[in-house]
Amino acid sequence: MKIKPINVVFDSNVPNSLKNATSMAVSQLVNLAGLTYQMSINNYGVWRQEDWQDEQGNLLPFHSVDW
């Protein structure tokens, strides 16, 4: 059985205390489900591709967590 990873991203306004609590909660849920060795958790933080905005500063679809 192939299990997809959990990808976590945060808005830039999320305080570190909530980022840490969320990351710990996701890890604990995966552990409780017994999937620790079958499922990876990727924390991308405030994810943005290099070209996440156009020339006018507008967000490009699917290029950042902001979109």
Side-chain angles (χ1 to χ4, degrees):
M1 173 168 64
K2 185 174 181 178
I3 299 176
K4 292 187 178 192
I6 295 175
N7 297 318
V8 180
V9 294
F10 296 102
D11 183 272
S12 58
N13 295 322
V14 175
N16 283 336
S17 59
L18 290 179
K19 290 177 187 178
N20 293 338
T22 302
S23 295
M24 287 181 66
V26 170
S27 294
Q28 288 175 351
L29 287 171
V30 169
N31 188 33
L32 286 171
L35 298 172
T36 304
Y37 299 105
Q38 299 170 334
M39 179 181 282
S40 64
I41 302 169
N42 304 311
N43 184 344
Y44 292 112
V46 181
W47 171 79
R48 294 179 178 138
Q49 290 186 6
E50 287 184 29
D51 59 344
W52 63 288
Q53 293 177 310
D54 64 15
E55 294 81 26
Q56 290 79 35
N58 298 312
L59 299 174
L60 295 173
F62 306 107
H63 281 70
S64 71
V65 69
D66 307 284
W67 186 77

